[in-house]
Amino acid sequence: WYMRTGPSMLLAGILPFGAVFIELYFIFSAIWENQIYTLFSFLFLVYVILVICCAEISVVIVYFQLCTENYRWWWKSFFASAGTGLLCILHTEYFSTTLSCKLWDSPQLSCTFGYTALMALTFGIFTGSIGFFASFMFCPICLQCCEDRLDTTFYVHQFHYNNIFVL
């Protein structure tokens, strides 16, 4: 059940989202509450961690999919990392309803959700692209290793069968 697109998108998006969760709070506070954001060096470090998490999660999901002999991995690798954008939208709703953000008139609320939805969509496309390109580089390496292993196994069995027939 967890290898279907919906559950794997949500489950795989949790780890990269967890890497940027605290920074999202500070960024949303800077944007919507007129505070100043000054931790750009820490933001770069979080960005590097996000790229590594997205690449690893996508490669693991694609590896599980290839182990079940399902070779249609292209969109699954994209959606595995793009689930982070969906979790960003859910975090926006949590931020705007329960935390210190008090934007309750209709134009401000629609502006908040509209712009944040665009940011989350862009974030999802960005993280999905990272996951796709990491999986795109992983698959030929994985298939080459499997092919070398199969060739070695074939030659060992062929040698064994030839020796049996010679006796």
Side-chain angles (χ1 to χ4, degrees):
W1 65 271
Y2 60 91
M3 288 305 293
R4 287 189 233 139
T5 303
S8 69
M9 184 175 167
L10 288 175
L11 292 174
I14 289 174
L15 186 65
F17 179 74
V20 298
F21 174 72
I22 298 300
E23 282 302 303
L24 279 177
Y25 173 76
F26 291 121
I27 290 172
F28 285 160
S29 294
I31 292 173
W32 302 117
E33 294 181 348
N34 295 327
Q35 294 180 0
I36 298 173
Y37 185 78
T38 57
L39 300 171
F40 291 107
S41 59
F42 188 68
L43 183 65
F44 179 73
L45 180 66
V46 170
Y47 166 75
V48 170
I49 292 171
L50 173 73
V51 169
I52 292 170
C53 284
C54 287
E56 287 178 350
I57 284 294
S58 236
V59 165
V60 166
I61 292 291
V62 167
Y63 179 74
F64 286 155
Q65 189 171 357
L66 291 175
C67 284
T68 60
E69 296 182 4
N70 185 359
Y71 298 104
R72 293 178 289 160
W73 57 269
W74 299 79
W75 284 107
K76 182 82 71 158
S77 67
F78 179 82
F79 286 128
S81 293
T84 309
L86 181 63
L87 292 172
C88 283
I89 292 175
L90 296 175
H91 176 67
T92 302
E93 184 170 335
Y94 173 76
F95 179 80
S96 65
T97 57
T98 62
L99 295 177
S100 60
C101 186
K102 303 294 184 211
L103 302 171
W104 296 122
D105 352 352
S106 179
Q108 286 179 334
L109 194 61
S110 64
C111 182
T112 301
F113 281 117
Y115 282 124
T116 309
L118 287 176
M119 287 190 297
L121 178 69
T122 305
F123 189 66
I125 291 172
F126 170 70
T127 55
S129 299
I130 291 170
F132 172 75
F133 285 120
S135 299
F136 189 73
M137 291 188 303
F138 166 75
C139 280
I141 295 169
C142 179
L143 294 176
Q144 182 66 34
C145 290
C146 292
E147 184 178 296
D148 291 343
R149 192 172 133 208
L150 288 176
D151 288 342
T152 306
T153 306
F154 174 74
Y155 289 127
V156 168
H157 288 300
Q158 187 70 25
F159 178 74
H160 181 68
Y161 290 138
N162 286 340
N163 286 339
I164 290 174
F165 289 126
V166 170
L167 292 176

